[in-house]
Amino acid sequence: MASSDFDFEQLLFTPATPDAEAVRVVYAFPNTYSVGITSLGYQVIWSMLASRRDVAVCRLFTDLSEPLPQQPELFGFSVSWELDYVHILALLEQHRLPIQSQARGESDPLIFGGGPVLTANPEPFADFFDVILLGDGEGLVDELIQSYQPVRGGSRAQKLLALAQVPGIYVPSLYEPQYLEPTGPVEKILPKRAGIPERIRKHTFRGNTLSVSTVVTPKAAWENIYMLEVVRSCPEMCRFCLASYLTLPFRVADVEGHLIPAVERGLQVTQRIGLLGASVTQHPQFEQLLDYLAQDRFEQVRLSLASVRTGTVTPRLAQVLSSRGSKSITVAIESGSERLRQIVNKKLSNSEILAAAVHAQSGGLGGIKFYGMAGIPAETQADLEQTVALFKELKQVAPRLRFTLGCSTFVPKAHTPFQWYGVDPKAEKKLQFFQKQLRPLGIDFRPESYSWSVIQALISRGDRRVGKVLILAREFGESLGSYKRAFKELKGQLPPLEYYVHSHWIPGDPLPWDHLEGPLTPERLLQHRQEALSV
């Protein structure tokens, strides 16, 4: 579709007019426009590229695109959700590009990717990408373009070799995984040639300004929303949490110098504001921001917050949110068991949860959505029963509130202290127990698919051999049964599904992502894991 099909957008930056010799870039989000444009990360990276005169960038979604160049030089993807890999492969095929890097020739663009999925563990996707950007996009995208320019006329091999020298950029084809045996674990991952870094460290942006929307559109999943990133990472450091550990250190945006001026800019084009972050209310100056947004002149503004820490839910916060169009708040509690919350390092008591409900009700909100988890390491039946008991208490202390519990299965994530634990095979029955106990209480119980959690674990702990599974499963239909069938087809070429998903791995043994440095060393992660075991 032509660029005129994007006339419904309101841009909050001025795109540059590309030079005649600008680098031709396609920047894709492997989902629909509605989903992709609601990704603040995708918006920001696109605007960075579009603001450069030496880049001619076109956007691509599964259902909409700007006019694409005949011969793009760089073809990028922002990857926020594991199963979107099927759309990545489909888009490559749609544009007649080989899905595997080894099959691409000199006339093909370099396929690059970034985002939280690839930063956490890119190995299952390594064969699909020529270049992977690890960590924060701010600064790293500019490095990609600047490092590409001098080798632009060179061979594919020369381009990849040059980009592999850039801190934060990973070129998978230049690294060789070695395994103890074909069906055994990873032994080590080494550079294929001299001059390639043995380890790649993710890029970390350390400025005092964080991301804000660069486009407002009625076709976003959250219609006409202007988003501001208030904090990045989370100071709580729950031991399973990728959002906390992978994005360390905890960073906050300056209120006076950045957030308030950004809100003023956003309100010139919309009346809907979204404050984003893993723990928005833990910004040290959040009360100042809240006072600003509570002014009478913002009476028509609709304000929404991402997940908030339970202990920061005050009557004042609830009243401001209620008066700004919010009907509920979202709080992650993980479990009704205080013992389990100590194990995962969730610094939260049941009394604080109950107080949050009372405050939400007194402030005029209509409901609370809680996030919980089944299958947390060391979980017992007594812990599940304590969760049910907590919701009974919540119904008593705040009878007018609607309570929702969105419940997932624990999935181990790379670069977290719980990366060595497997998925609890009893988690599905635990979800069924919650459903049976909570729905009669009037709790809106919303379990995440256990089958999806199994697939998510496979990808989150997968090594490079899992890429073959992903290709086959896509052909077989993308259900859990399709993945199991793929493992049968590949028997003898990699470990079984149970190894990746359910096995507890031995701390100290090599991991598929050992050559990729996270914010904390493996030794520190093991220390945090040991602290959990001592509870």
Side-chain angles (χ1 to χ4, degrees), residues 234-241 244-245 309 333-334 337-348 376 417-418 528-529 531-533 535:
C234 175
E236 294 301 297
M237 295 182 69
C238 296
R239 295 181 175 117
F240 61 84
C241 183
S244 179
Y245 275 85
R309 189 179 184 277
I333 59 171
E334 318 316 340
S337 163
E338 297 204 4
R339 182 187 73 91
L340 270 192
R341 289 199 299 271
Q342 288 178 337
I343 286 174
V344 302
N345 199 37
K346 193 80 177 180
K347 308 172 189 74
L348 178 63
I376 294 170
F418 281 6
H528 289 194
R529 178 182 182 271
E531 290 169 0
L533 294 174
V535 171

Side-chain angles (χ1 to χ4, degrees), residues 181-248:
E181 56 182 326
T183 59
V186 170
E187 183 179 20
K188 52 190 171 183
I189 302 171
L190 298 174
K192 289 183 177 179
R193 55 179 292 173
I196 302 297
E198 288 191 11
R199 295 169 65 81
I200 306 97
R201 184 170 184 81
K202 85 173 190 74
H203 173 72
T204 300
F205 173 67
R206 297 182 181 274
N208 66 348
T209 62
L210 296 178
S211 299
V212 297
S213 284
T214 58
V215 56
V216 170
T217 166
K219 297 189 179 182
W222 300 322
E223 183 180 346
N224 286 320
I225 194 165
Y226 177 81
M227 298 175 286
L228 302 92
E229 185 184 19
V230 177
V231 299
R232 189 172 296 181
S233 191
C234 175
E236 294 301 297
M237 295 182 69
C238 296
R239 295 181 175 117
F240 61 84
C241 183
L242 187 67
S244 179
Y245 275 85
L246 189 66
T247 56
L248 286 171

Side-chain angles (χ1 to χ4, degrees), residues 409-466:
T409 296
F410 162 73
V411 171
K413 297 290 186 178
H415 305 291
T416 70
F418 281 6
Q419 63 185 354
W420 292 278
Y421 288 110
V423 171
D424 180 0
K426 298 178 182 177
E428 188 170 21
K429 289 186 177 179
K430 293 177 177 180
L431 291 172
Q432 292 168 355
F433 170 81
F434 280 145
Q435 181 163 307
K436 183 178 179 181
Q437 297 293 320
L438 293 175
R439 285 189 172 166
L441 299 177
I443 307 302
D444 182 7
F445 180 66
R446 300 179 185 178
E448 187 177 86
S449 163
Y450 173 76
S451 295
W452 154 236
S453 296
V454 168
I455 298 168
Q456 191 182 7
L458 166 66
I459 294 174
S460 71
R461 292 212 298 179
D463 53 47
R464 202 170 294 194
R465 294 169 293 188
V466 169

Side-chain angles (χ1 to χ4, degrees), residues 488-518:
K488 287 182 181 178
E489 294 266 340
L490 296 167
K491 188 175 181 180
Q493 300 181 43
L494 77 169
L497 177 68
E498 289 72 19
Y499 166 77
Y500 295 105
V501 175
H502 298 298
S503 294
H504 297 322
W505 291 354
I506 299 172
D509 282 0
L511 296 166
W513 49 87
D514 269 351
H515 58 307
L516 309 173
E517 291 187 18

Side-chain angles (χ1 to χ4, degrees), residues 172-397:
S173 63
L174 297 179
Y175 294 80
E176 183 71 39
Q178 297 178 11
Y179 308 100
L180 291 173
E181 56 182 326
T183 59
V186 170
E187 183 179 20
K188 52 190 171 183
I189 302 171
L190 298 174
K192 289 183 177 179
R193 55 179 292 173
I196 302 297
E198 288 191 11
R199 295 169 65 81
I200 306 97
R201 184 170 184 81
K202 85 173 190 74
H203 173 72
T204 300
F205 173 67
R206 297 182 181 274
N208 66 348
T209 62
L210 296 178
S211 299
V212 297
S213 284
T214 58
V215 56
V216 170
T217 166
K219 297 189 179 182
W222 300 322
E223 183 180 346
N224 286 320
I225 194 165
Y226 177 81
M227 298 175 286
L228 302 92
E229 185 184 19
V230 177
V231 299
R232 189 172 296 181
S233 191
C234 175
E236 294 301 297
M237 295 182 69
C238 296
R239 295 181 175 117
F240 61 84
C241 183
L242 187 67
S244 179
Y245 275 85
L246 189 66
T247 56
L248 286 171
F250 181 59
R251 286 152 287 171
V252 302
D254 179 65
V255 171
E256 288 283 353
H258 175 61
L259 289 177
I260 289 177
V263 170
E264 296 284 355
R265 270 199 315 279
L267 291 176
Q268 293 175 14
V269 296
T270 184
Q271 291 291 296
R272 187 172 185 186
I273 301 292
L275 304 182
L276 306 187
S279 190
V280 170
T281 53
Q282 286 183 273
H283 190 296
Q285 297 169 306
F286 181 76
E287 286 299 321
Q288 181 183 350
L289 181 61
L290 191 65
D291 288 343
Y292 164 77
L293 292 168
Q295 295 177 78
D296 290 341
R297 67 189 178 103
F298 297 142
E299 189 176 348
Q300 301 303 315
V301 172
R302 184 177 175 190
L303 176 66
S304 56
L305 265 65
S307 181
V308 301
R309 189 179 184 277
T310 311
T312 62
V313 180
T314 62
R316 161 79 168 157
L317 173 64
Q319 185 273 324
V320 173
L321 290 176
S322 176
S323 68
R324 295 294 176 265
S326 287
K327 297 178 181 178
S328 64
I329 53 171
T330 302
V331 174
I333 59 171
E334 318 316 340
S335 172
S337 163
E338 297 204 4
R339 182 187 73 91
L340 270 192
R341 289 199 299 271
Q342 288 178 337
I343 286 174
V344 302
N345 199 37
K346 193 80 177 180
K347 308 172 189 74
L348 178 63
S349 67
N350 279 6
S351 60
E352 287 179 287
I353 298 171
L354 296 171
V358 171
H359 294 161
Q361 180 174 275
S362 67
L365 290 172
I368 298 182
K369 180 177 182 180
F370 292 106
Y371 282 127
M373 194 178 288
I376 294 170
E379 186 176 63
T380 66
Q381 181 62 29
D383 295 312
L384 305 182
E385 291 168 357
Q386 287 175 36
T387 297
V388 174
L390 173 64
F391 275 92
K392 289 179 179 178
E393 284 191 81
L394 285 165
K395 293 287 288 185
Q396 291 176 346
V397 300

